Amino acid sequence: MQQKDSWLLPDGIEEILPANAKHLESLRRRLLDMFACWGYELVIPPFIDFLDSLLTGSGHDLDLQTFKLTDQLSGEMLGVRADMTPQVARIDAHHLKHEWPTRLCYYGTVLHTRGDPLEKTRSPLQIGAELYGHAGVDSDVEVIRLMLEMLALMGVLNVHLDLGHVGIYRSLSRQAGLSPVQEGELFDVLQRKARPELAEWIDSYALDSDLKAMFLALPLLNGGMEIIGKARQVFEQADADLKQALADLETIAGRLARLFPSLPVSFDLAELRGYHYHTGVVFAAFTPAVGREIARGGRYDNIGGVFGRARPATGFSADLKLLAGLSSVKGPSEPENKIFAPCIDDAVLAEKIRDLRAAGNTVIQQLPGQAGDGAAMGCTAVLVQENQNWFIKNLA
């Protein structure tokens, strides 16, 4: 028995109607063409995959966001992709096997078990780019530049860039000798910016005074370029890896300032987005119109190891549906001619319609017994026959 409201959709799942679908497709083509101009080749990962492949290196959060099912052929657990990045890493590691840097881009629907509190959709249209095989700041700068150029091409206004580095927290945790459990507990406290709880947590462990001071200072190290100088003072007793992370952030910010002099850049050294996944620089783009990041990325070296080939990697992704809502780029205009053709079985008419469509015109042919004429269907002209030939006649 059919339910009464069979037209209803699950929460967070949307239909995209013609005008918006046309706009999204136009933006998709523009972005993929731009990625291609930078040398990023398109790949299309599968919508459903083995669960282990989907969750490689991703941590607990992505596990909770992934729909799971059992494969009736193999009996293995499958998942509907909630993020395409691990699949793209597999393509680089297992299929392409290049010795040189590999640039890949992708686009497609991902599905989440839960919607973002600030963005109700559970089916984002994920678009992104990944660069494999280079471990320096130059590749980090390249993917950040590409992300910013993507937003500029979309006409997204008032973009702000936020930079962080998960290596800072990893270095402090290693220097303090924290166990995996302790590291996870502290990570949770830092994510919630709970400073009183952080102080209590630090006091509960036998850490030396220098390490205590460095951990307690982390939530305060956010702001503009001056934060790097403050961090160097705070982390004077830190190890070389942490100091290198600060140097990398300073280098990246300096190069971006020369390339995008009007771009606001800030630092948040306690920001650990993607901590279980990323290994180095993390970045996100924000705009005042949205209360969360509109594009995000970072470095995630060695993710391809589980697929047989560990390589440095960095990249970014975004939800094209979200970006389209922020875009100041107008959708594609309707064709100048939208022509209505009569319902006649005539070889000359069929050839005329074929030629008009080949030239880029929209031709809608009448169906037998249909309701509505050409004007009702939005046509601007109609095909009429004169002396065995067919001509376009504009509708008044």
Side-chain angles (χ1 to χ4, degrees), residues 73-89:
L73 294 180
S74 68
E76 298 282 347
M77 286 299 297
L78 304 181
V80 178
R81 65 189 183 198
D83 179 26
M84 296 167 70
T85 310
Q87 296 177 297
V88 180

Side-chain angles (χ1 to χ4, degrees), residues 40-345:
Y40 288 76
E41 299 178 287
L42 179 65
V43 293
I44 305 176
F47 188 60
I48 295 177
D49 208 332
F50 287 116
L51 191 60
D52 289 345
S53 296
L54 291 175
L55 300 182
T56 295
S58 61
H60 185 60
D61 291 343
L62 195 60
D63 186 15
L64 292 177
Q65 285 280 39
T66 302
F67 280 96
K68 303 173 179 70
L69 62 155
T70 302
D71 184 6
Q72 298 300 309
L73 294 180
S74 68
E76 298 282 347
M77 286 299 297
L78 304 181
V80 178
R81 65 189 183 198
D83 179 26
M84 296 167 70
T85 310
Q87 296 177 297
V88 180
R90 178 180 58 198
I91 291 173
D92 169 71
H94 183 68
H95 294 291
L96 300 181
K97 300 180 181 179
H98 296 159
E99 295 301 325
W100 51 88
T102 302
R103 294 169 171 86
L104 300 176
C105 61
Y106 55 91
Y107 168 87
T109 297
V110 295
L111 194 63
H112 295 162
T113 58
R114 307 173 183 183
D116 187 287
L118 299 176
E119 185 65 30
K120 300 302 183 182
T121 185
R122 293 194 293 161
S123 57
L125 287 172
Q126 189 179 34
I127 189 165
E130 315 292 333
L131 199 165
Y132 301 94
H134 187 272
V137 295
D138 294 270
S139 46
D140 292 317
V141 170
E142 178 173 317
V143 296
I144 295 172
R145 287 177 59 197
L146 183 60
M147 180 186 74
L148 295 171
E149 294 290 355
M150 173 189 76
L151 297 175
L153 186 64
M154 294 283 289
V156 178
L157 305 176
N158 301 317
V159 172
H160 170 96
L161 182 68
D162 186 60
L163 293 174
H165 200 300
V166 299
I168 293 173
Y169 177 65
R170 292 186 190 277
S171 295
L172 287 178
S173 298
R174 184 171 58 250
Q175 192 171 345
L178 299 183
S179 69
V181 172
Q182 292 169 334
E183 190 174 334
E185 291 174 353
L186 182 54
F187 165 80
D188 180 63
V189 173
L190 286 171
Q191 284 298 92
R192 291 184 282 109
K193 311 289 185 182
R195 291 180 59 198
E197 188 178 345
L198 174 62
E200 291 179 8
W201 192 95
I202 295 296
D203 287 339
S204 69
Y205 289 95
L207 301 179
D208 67 44
S209 57
D210 287 335
L211 279 168
K212 284 184 178 182
M214 287 188 282
F215 276 121
L216 290 171
L218 263 180
L220 304 176
L221 292 172
N222 56 83
M225 196 67 190
E226 74 282 356
I227 290 300
I228 299 298
K230 291 181 180 179
R232 285 204 170 95
Q233 295 176 354
V234 169
F235 298 131
E236 187 176 0
Q237 302 302 316
D239 63 18
D241 288 343
L242 191 152
K243 293 175 181 177
Q244 184 59 54
L246 290 176
D248 289 347
L249 284 175
E250 185 175 42
T251 299
I252 291 170
R255 291 179 59 178
L256 291 174
R258 291 191 293 274
L259 293 165
F260 305 94
S262 61
L263 173 71
V265 177
S266 64
F267 300 86
D268 187 348
L269 303 192
E271 174 54 66
L272 300 174
R273 74 174 68 87
Y275 170 71
H276 299 290
Y277 183 66
H278 289 111
T279 59
V281 172
V282 291
F283 53 86
F286 294 85
T287 186
V290 180
R292 64 177 180 87
E293 71 268 12
I294 59 173
R296 61 186 293 180
R299 179 162 290 280
Y300 56 105
D301 292 342
N302 303 322
I303 187 176
V306 72
F307 303 120
R309 192 161 181 256
R311 294 230 287 171
T314 182
F316 71 88
S317 65
D319 177 6
L320 186 57
K321 289 196 288 189
L322 174 62
L323 296 185
L326 298 170
S327 176
S328 61
V329 175
K330 294 181 179 179
S333 59
E334 291 292 326
E336 289 187 10
N337 288 322
K338 191 173 182 180
I339 304 163
F340 191 70
C343 178
I344 298 176
D345 184 11

Side-chain angles (χ1 to χ4, degrees), residues 338-342 374 379-384 391-395:
K338 191 173 182 180
I339 304 163
F340 191 70
C379 292
T380 58
V382 62
L383 279 173
V384 296
F391 299 92
I392 299 171
K393 179 181 179 181
N394 290 331
L395 293 173

